């Protein structure tokens, strides 16, 4: 006799993947219909990172203060 569990698990994974894909496509379609565009707006953190890269301070390691080194 063959064990039906691996086949059932594979079919379940396929059904779940199909359902999630359909849901994400529906969300993308609805967003496009409601907003009329698919452009994602920049957030504050993206703009800060871009400004740091333009200034050239991105490659420099950040200054960190270690409280354990105060006693030395």
């Amino acid at each position: 006799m063959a064990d039906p569990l691996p086949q059932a698990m594979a079919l379940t994974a396929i059904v779940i993947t199909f359902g999630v894909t359909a849901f994400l496509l529906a969300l993308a379609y609805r967003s496009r219909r409601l907003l009329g565009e698919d452009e994602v707006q920049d957030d504050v953190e993206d703009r800060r990172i871009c400004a740091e890269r333009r200034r050239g301070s991105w490659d420099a390691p950040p200054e960190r203060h270690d409280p354990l080194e105060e006693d030395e």
Side-chain angles (χ1 to χ4, degrees):
M1 281 208 166
D3 186 18
L5 185 62
Q7 182 180 2
M9 296 296 280
L11 287 173
T12 302
I14 291 169
V15 169
I16 289 172
T17 303
F18 179 75
V20 169
T21 303
F23 179 68
L24 290 175
L25 287 173
L27 283 178
Y29 178 75
R30 183 172 188 265
S31 174
R32 172 74 176 177
R33 294 286 292 182
L34 288 176
L35 299 176
E37 60 184 33
D38 59 354
E39 184 177 332
V40 178
Q41 297 177 358
D42 291 337
D43 62 355
V44 176
E45 186 67 15
D46 283 343
R47 291 179 189 217
R48 185 188 65 78
I49 289 172
C50 288
E52 285 182 8
R53 284 185 180 170
R54 275 190 240 120
R55 284 195 309 257
S57 63
W58 183 257
D59 296 330
E63 295 287 331
R64 296 189 186 242
H65 176 68
D66 190 1
L68 297 177
E69 293 180 357
E70 290 179 357
D71 295 334
E72 295 177 3

